[in-house]
Amino acid sequence: MRETLRILIAAGVAAAMSVAVAPHALAEGNPDGADSAKDSVLKVKEPVQYAEAPAPEPAIFGPFCGLEGLNIVPEMPTTAPFVMEDDSIEYLPVKLINKQNGSVMDEAAWKAAIFDLPGSPDGLAGEDAWGPEVTWGGIRMQINAPGHPSDGKSGPWYYVKRYRMRITGQETATVEVTAGTSPQLPEELYIYYMNEWRAYNIAGARKCATDGAEGWIPSKITWDPLTEAQQQLLQTPGAQFDLHGTVAAPVPGDPSTTVNWERTGGRGKVDELPGLDYGFDATVTIQVTDVPAEPDE
């Protein structure tokens, strides 16, 4: 059974959360039953607004999430869901407008918006690129459907936001070992990942827009070597102790790539709240049992 998530509640964190756009979700195209731009005679509702699934389900607006600056750039959106004048939802072709200079964004500009930081010649500046305040200048989605009554209309500006992931818990792991023998330790455990603001229970915080970034995810564990004292305990029936290890966290968007999660008591990350430790130690409890009695002959 997985243990209850150890959600951290951070005092003094701002309750307001800027809404951000999740382009990979926008790029999914027309859902079943959605009208095409060619067949529609409806205008978009004024003021123009994007449609959004109810939180906490995956919504079109949400943060991109990463591990120390690592994540995969989603595809640039070519359609977006708009609220129409009859309150229906319609996916319409769009072009993206760069807020900084008003230009139409191409693939290179899109990648820069999601992956690069201003003033960082090498793109993402590692852990410096992640945290609640990291944003880029913003984008606007403009309807690009010649002949449609709302062609040229634009939705509101949104800021792209990138959030660091947190580990908030692991499944319970217990190993029984006969006295005098070596324990068979699990190679992986289910670890619970959550974006930073959700981990703090910030009102309105949204799920990570990067596919597969949050939730229970199997993760490889590198266990610490047994200390001399622990090796002695393995000789003692009835003894019990915890062994810790390092989590190899899958990179959001690229689970075949992993990053060793920082351990507790480490150097800390940029933008950590005072007094909080962003590290995590995987834990397995080892219980030493008696040597089985020899059967009577």
Side-chain angles (χ1 to χ4, degrees):
M1 178 182 297
R2 297 167 185 165
E3 66 181 6
T4 303
L5 300 184
R6 295 180 288 133
I7 305 298
L8 299 176
I9 307 297
V13 180
M17 177 182 179
S18 297
V19 182
V21 73
H24 84 279
L26 294 174
E28 291 174 356
N30 290 18
D32 292 340
D35 294 331
S36 68
K38 181 175 68 174
D39 298 330
S40 174
V41 294
L42 294 172
K43 296 180 180 180
V44 295
K45 191 172 186 177
E46 298 284 354
V48 179
Q49 54 188 296
Y50 309 119
E52 184 178 1
E57 295 303 318
I60 68 167
F61 305 133
F64 293 98
C65 301
L67 308 173
E68 297 192 41
L70 298 176
N71 82 331
I72 303 302
V73 180
E75 293 183 6
M76 185 174 73
T78 57
T79 64
F82 290 88
V83 178
M84 309 306 288
E85 56 189 348
D86 65 350
D87 291 324
S88 63
I89 307 302
E90 187 171 335
Y91 277 73
L92 298 173
V94 294
K95 54 186 176 182
L96 306 187
I97 308 300
N98 184 327
K99 185 174 184 180
Q100 291 182 329
N101 55 27
S103 64
V104 176
M105 298 174 68
D106 57 13
E107 290 284 352
W110 169 252
K111 179 178 179 181
I114 301 301
F115 210 61
D116 298 338
L117 285 179
S120 175
D122 299 322
L124 281 176
E127 66 204 32
D128 297 341
W130 298 90
E133 302 308 319
V134 176
T135 63
W136 179 83
I139 61 175
R140 183 195 295 274
M141 286 172 282
Q142 184 180 91
I143 297 173
N144 183 29
H148 191 282
S150 293
D151 181 45
K153 295 281 188 180
S154 295
W157 291 111
Y158 282 98
Y159 287 90
V160 176
K161 298 187 75 69
R162 294 172 280 229
Y163 293 160
R164 182 172 45 231
M165 300 300 293
R166 297 293 309 275
I167 289 179
T168 59
Q170 67 160 76
E171 65 174 316
T172 301
T174 303
V175 170
E176 289 189 354
V177 58
T178 302
T181 64
S182 298
Q184 298 297 310
L185 302 174
E187 294 184 358
E188 65 179 30
L189 294 174
Y190 275 91
I191 304 295
Y192 200 90
Y193 300 88
M194 184 179 288
N195 88 53
E196 191 165 31
W197 277 44
R198 292 189 70 216
Y200 289 146
N201 280 353
I202 300 300
R206 299 191 174 280
K207 293 181 68 173
C208 180
T210 311
D211 287 334
E214 291 189 285
W216 290 105
I217 300 175
S219 306
K220 299 288 186 183
I221 310 295
T222 301
W223 297 106
D224 296 341
L226 291 167
T227 65
E228 184 175 340
Q230 290 170 335
Q231 290 174 347
Q232 290 295 323
L233 288 173
L234 285 177
Q235 312 303 316
T236 308
Q240 177 174 302
F241 61 92
D242 288 339
L243 185 66
H244 302 295
T246 300
V247 176
V251 173
D254 183 16
S256 63
T257 302
T258 60
V259 174
N260 284 341
W261 198 271
E262 183 186 38
R263 299 290 292 271
T264 57
R267 58 183 171 78
K269 302 284 189 250
V270 174
D271 294 331
E272 280 188 4
L273 294 176
L276 291 182
D277 189 341
Y278 282 29
F280 185 84
D281 297 338
T283 302
V284 60
T285 299
I286 299 176
Q287 298 175 343
V288 185
T289 63
D290 287 323
V291 177
E294 293 290 337
D296 295 333
E297 295 186 1

